[in-house]
Amino acid sequence: PPPVVVVVVARVAMKLAEYEEIRAHITSLPSDVFPDADALRAKHPSASLDALVSIYSQESSRRVRGAHGKHLRAIGSHAARYVAGEDVFRIAADIDFPPCQLVRLLLEHLLGLGHKAVGPCLRDPFGKIPSSPPPESPAARGVPGVPGVPGSAICDRLKVDVERCVAWDHVASPAVDVMRHAAGREYEILLERRLEELRVPFVTEDALRAEGHAKTPDVKLTLPIAVNGRIVNWIDSKASFLDPIVHVERGVDQFQGYVNRFGPGMVIYWLGVIDELAEESDGDVFIVDDFPGDMEITKLKLME
């Protein structure tokens, strides 16, 4: 069996109890209500705004995944309400489901679209949603319980409502994914710049993939460095907050592969981690919430 990767955490900033209190407040809110960041900061002054936003984003994504199956099974009922004239935002608020996720299911159900065809419809509703529904789709055949609504009228309304949902949904809009990706890339660039300032040579993720590596960290150091005495061969950048669920579900397994290929490394969760994760014993993955200071880094030199 593969070796067990033990994780070490440093530069932590939030206790588990405080995180759970913040999380409980966030999950008590309806999905269309953004938490009062000023009130949360006043109650939890040690938590940065970035950390609070990251916790909210992660909890919102989990809520969507957890509720998706239930609303997929109930989409016939949701579609009947929509075709009967009820506003998509009212339905979304009533069932506590993000509007963009609801309209995705409506597109799939009413127009018979495949999952991959829905994304382009959200990005360009007036260009990709047809003027008339496909002949065998529920919108063309008629929605049970709501007779007499022309399929073309349903398509026209869907175009407008998709545009509305994309503009106003702060949880599941494609714009949210774009911003999340942009933030991730910004922190990767920050990591690369810090390494360049220290004159630490490295190979980027793209270069590693070009060499045939399937799963890679963001940078592989050409020469290892030592951070507070720990050997670091690679560094991964995460534009997120490390909570216990992320740590267990997405962190350890991913880093196991990096350790197996490249040896010990370091992960930076730029938006923070939880104190109790620092109680892990010494291991192969060093987790921090910022790039180490110059005095913490020892650069190795090639023997002449």
Side-chain angles (χ1 to χ4, degrees):
V4 176
V5 174
V6 183
V7 176
V8 180
V9 184
R11 277 199 172 115
V12 290
M14 185 182 294
K15 293 290 186 183
L16 179 60
E18 183 177 24
Y19 162 77
E20 292 292 359
E21 187 176 345
I22 294 170
R23 179 175 179 267
H25 173 71
I26 289 173
T27 56
S28 71
L29 300 173
S31 63
D32 62 343
V33 175
F34 196 84
D36 186 334
D38 291 335
L40 279 174
R41 285 294 306 279
K43 190 173 183 180
H44 305 280
S46 64
S48 70
L49 178 60
D50 285 341
L52 294 174
V53 171
S54 182
I55 293 169
Y56 171 76
S57 175
Q58 289 165 186
E59 288 303 324
S60 297
S61 296
R62 289 167 190 152
R63 181 186 295 191
V64 169
R65 291 195 300 270
H68 184 270
K70 177 179 71 173
H71 294 301
L72 180 61
R73 293 187 293 272
I75 190 57
S77 173
H78 302 337
R81 293 173 63 179
Y82 179 76
V83 173
E86 193 168 350
D87 184 71
V88 66
F89 282 96
R90 182 179 295 275
I91 301 170
D94 185 52
I95 64 176
D96 196 21
F97 201 50
C100 274
Q101 288 296 320
L102 174 59
V103 84
R104 282 177 179 272
L105 296 182
L106 289 173
L107 287 168
E108 292 178 7
H109 178 76
L110 291 172
L111 303 185
L113 298 180
H115 182 72
K116 291 184 178 180
V118 172
C121 290
L122 265 65
R123 291 189 291 271
D124 181 17
F126 287 91
K128 298 299 183 181
I129 296 176
S131 298
S132 298
E136 297 304 315
S137 66
R141 297 196 313 266
V143 176
V146 194
V149 181
S152 59
I154 295 174
C155 288
D156 289 343
R157 188 172 163 217
L158 280 169
K159 293 176 184 179
V160 174
D161 284 339
V162 166
E163 188 173 61
R164 292 172 64 215
C165 291
V166 169
W168 288 100
D169 189 341
H170 60 265
V171 172
S173 169
V176 175
D177 292 332
V178 170
M179 289 187 289
R180 187 180 296 118
H181 177 77
R185 182 57 191 144
E186 285 178 5
Y187 279 109
E188 289 172 7
I189 292 171
L190 175 60
L191 168 61
E192 293 172 7
R193 286 178 178 171
R194 292 300 304 274
L195 290 171
E196 289 169 353
E197 290 169 0
L198 290 171
R199 297 184 179 179
V200 174
F202 61 90
V203 180
T204 64
E205 181 178 23
D206 289 341
L208 289 171
R209 288 182 175 175
E211 293 174 2
H213 298 282
K215 296 181 179 181
T216 64
D218 289 313
V219 298
K220 166 71 172 66
L221 305 184
T222 305
L223 288 175
I225 61 174
V227 178
N228 292 329
R230 301 184 184 280
I231 297 299
V232 172
N233 294 281
W234 52 266
I235 306 175
D236 210 38
S237 171
K238 300 291 187 184
S240 60
F241 180 88
L242 177 61
D243 64 35
I245 299 175
V246 169
H247 181 57
V248 172
E249 292 185 352
R250 295 196 312 224
V252 175
D253 288 344
Q254 177 185 3
F255 306 143
Q256 172 86 56
Y258 300 165
V259 171
N260 290 345
R261 292 180 183 88
F262 306 117
M266 181 171 72
V267 184
I268 306 175
Y269 281 89
W270 297 97
L271 306 186
V273 298
I274 291 176
D275 281 5
E276 280 74 0
L277 296 178
E279 297 175 1
E280 301 281 354
S281 60
D282 293 349
D284 298 307
V285 180
F286 188 36
I287 296 182
V288 297
D289 67 357
D290 197 1
F291 193 88
D294 294 354
M295 299 300 294
E296 300 172 274
I297 297 174
T298 302
K299 294 190 289 184
L300 303 182
K301 297 181 179 179
L302 285 173
M303 297 295 293
E304 300 219 355

